[in-house]
Amino acid sequence: MENMVLDSLKTRRSVRSFSDRPVEQEKLDAIIEAATYAPTGMGKQSPVIVLVKTPELVKKISKMNAAVMGRDADPFYGAQTVAIVFGNKAAAPTWFEDACLVAGNLLNAAHAVGVDSCYIYRAKEVFSSEEGLALLKEWGLDENYVGVANCILGYGTGEAPKPAPRKADYVKVV
């Protein structure tokens, strides 16, 4: 079956090398808006997205993320923008799943408008640190917000990776 949405879902890839070209605000607005339409438990819309575009802050959060790994590499691969998805553990029992769905929508929306992306882990560890909690406070978020995903956004420096073949037992029909 041919369908633009299905084709977009099947062709999105994680990109791990970014140029210094910034993402246009119009595209960022569209990506973020699409992310807010992710399903959430009981319709609570409990996740929050913090869109970080300030170069110094992107670098700071990247260094915090690298510290969690015990490395000195850039886990954001030079991306100019990071959308951090937080779940509110006090708002709904589905807070984690809700935030994951928001991150998925965000990554797929980015691909749909020609922006490259990658899901970067360790948001939980970064934003449960003293420095991370201070950033949450600065952004008007309390300790009930838990970092779930760092979604880096930008324009890749090369071709996107080719998809791996899908495993044979991915789906069980019963």
Side-chain angles (χ1 to χ4, degrees):
M1 168 182 275
E2 287 197 32
N3 178 285
M4 287 175 49
V5 173
L6 296 177
D7 289 344
S8 184
L9 291 170
K10 292 189 285 187
T11 58
R12 191 206 71 76
R13 295 288 166 266
S14 294
V15 171
R16 292 180 179 86
S17 179
F18 290 86
S19 73
D20 60 1
R21 177 180 161 203
V23 178
E24 300 84 349
Q25 189 60 49
E26 178 182 35
K27 288 185 177 184
L28 288 173
D29 292 343
I31 293 165
I32 297 302
E33 180 182 21
T36 69
Y37 280 86
T40 59
M42 300 173 279
K44 294 261 186 197
Q45 301 180 37
S46 62
V48 168
I49 304 164
V50 174
L51 186 64
V52 182
K53 296 174 25 178
T54 307
E56 300 79 24
L57 190 52
V58 171
K59 285 182 178 128
K60 176 180 180 173
I61 297 167
S62 176
K63 285 183 180 182
M64 293 167 67
N65 193 295
V68 171
M69 292 189 297
R71 296 188 184 154
D72 195 21
D74 175 13
F76 292 173
Y77 304 102
Q80 300 293 300
T81 305
V82 60
I84 308 162
V85 182
F86 293 91
N88 183 344
K89 63 184 179 184
T94 57
W95 66 271
F96 179 77
E97 293 85 352
D98 295 347
C100 288
L101 288 165
V102 166
N105 265 28
L106 198 150
L107 297 170
N108 287 314
H111 179 61
V113 298
V115 173
D116 295 314
S117 66
C118 189
Y119 186 114
I120 305 297
Y121 294 87
R122 296 168 298 280
K124 178 181 178 184
E125 295 84 355
V126 166
F127 292 99
S128 62
S129 72
E130 198 172 307
E131 195 173 13
L133 289 168
L135 285 172
L136 285 179
K137 187 174 182 180
E138 185 179 318
W139 299 335
L141 301 175
D142 64 33
E143 66 280 349
N144 286 314
Y145 285 92
V146 178
V148 173
N150 298 291
C151 299
I152 56 174
L153 303 167
Y155 293 102
T157 59
E159 284 188 38
K162 300 291 181 222
R166 303 294 95 176
K167 63 182 185 176
D169 62 346
Y170 218 128
V171 177
K172 304 284 185 192
V173 178
V174 295

